[in-house]
Amino acid sequence: MTEREKMLAGQLYDCGDPELLSQWHKAKDLVRNYNSLPSEDAAQKEQILGELLGGKGKNLWITAPFFADYGNNIYFGNNCEVNMNCTFLDDNEIRIGDNALIAPNVQIYTAFHPTNAHDRFGEPKEDGSFAFCKTQTAPVVIGNNVWIGGGAIIMPGVTIGNNVVIGAGSVVTKNIPDNSVAYGNPCRVMRENN
């Protein structure tokens, strides 16, 4: 099993794997190019997003700056908008449905590390340095017609249902069911969203 296969399966994997580092560097270069484009250069933005993302529907708008780890694990439906300064750590899949509105400074994480430092780093090398820390992942799924408020953090393994509003500044640690308005730290369902 390759390190990428382990990564997508949620097993401990080596972030320093040459294949993964190559994909990571490619994504960082594409993101840098995207973020430096003139705001009105829609054609070049479309070309970069086509190369960066795993898949996307029609009418995707991402305001720069935007940040991603691999890019190719991010999938958007139709009619989605991502506002500025969002970070998607797509070490596993991030799937976003149709008509999603993602406000500024939203962070979506699929990666996490063992809590025990020895499990994260192992034994030091002869020169005292450590290898890349070990990582695990869990996918994030966001349904259709979802609005995620500014500064929200979506943790690994979370599924957000359809027709959901996540309040600004929320930390979403557990699944949120369809037709909900949820907010807080930790994020909790506060009422139905009709």
Side-chain angles (χ1 to χ4, degrees):
M1 183 175 256
T2 68
E3 294 303 306
R4 178 170 172 79
E5 289 169 337
K6 290 179 190 175
M7 178 178 82
L8 293 173
Q11 298 177 9
L12 276 175
Y13 68 97
D14 179 7
C15 300
D17 173 70
E19 177 193 6
L20 290 178
L21 278 177
S22 175
Q23 293 174 359
W24 188 87
H25 287 300
K26 177 183 177 184
K28 296 303 181 199
D29 289 342
L30 288 168
V31 165
R32 182 198 63 235
N33 293 343
Y34 185 88
N35 290 337
S36 67
L37 284 173
S39 183
E40 294 181 347
D41 193 345
Q44 189 63 26
K45 286 180 179 180
E46 182 73 14
Q47 191 245 323
I48 290 174
L49 290 177
E51 192 174 346
L52 174 67
L53 300 174
K56 64 182 186 62
K58 298 175 185 174
N59 304 317
L60 173 61
W61 182 278
I62 298 178
T63 302
F66 171 74
F67 305 97
D69 264 356
Y70 296 95
N72 58 16
N73 296 320
I74 302 170
Y75 300 86
F76 284 98
N78 296 315
N79 308 314
C80 295
E81 181 178 342
V82 178
N83 212 321
M84 67 186 116
N85 208 39
C86 289
T87 301
F88 288 15
L89 297 187
D90 64 307
D91 300 64
N92 204 313
E93 290 186 357
I94 297 173
R95 291 199 173 265
I96 299 169
D98 294 339
N99 309 314
L101 178 59
I102 299 176
N105 301 304
V106 168
Q107 300 166 61
I108 302 177
Y109 300 146
T110 66
F112 60 99
H113 307 286
T115 55
N116 181 291
H118 185 269
D119 293 339
R120 278 194 303 274
F121 293 105
E123 296 296 327
K125 297 178 184 177
E126 286 186 21
D127 66 0
S129 67
F130 286 93
F132 279 90
C133 65
K134 298 294 184 194
T135 305
Q136 287 180 270
T137 69
V140 169
V141 178
I142 298 171
N144 297 323
N145 304 309
V146 172
W147 173 22
I148 299 177
I153 300 172
I154 314 297
M155 300 301 288
V158 165
T159 295
I160 296 173
N162 297 317
N163 194 36
V164 170
V165 175
I166 302 294
S170 295
V171 179
V172 186
T173 61
K174 296 186 183 205
N175 295 347
I176 304 295
D178 291 351
N179 304 311
S180 300
V181 174
Y183 51 87
N185 181 4
C187 188
R188 295 180 306 278
V189 174
M190 298 300 182
R191 63 180 173 87
E192 287 187 15
N193 190 23
N194 296 323

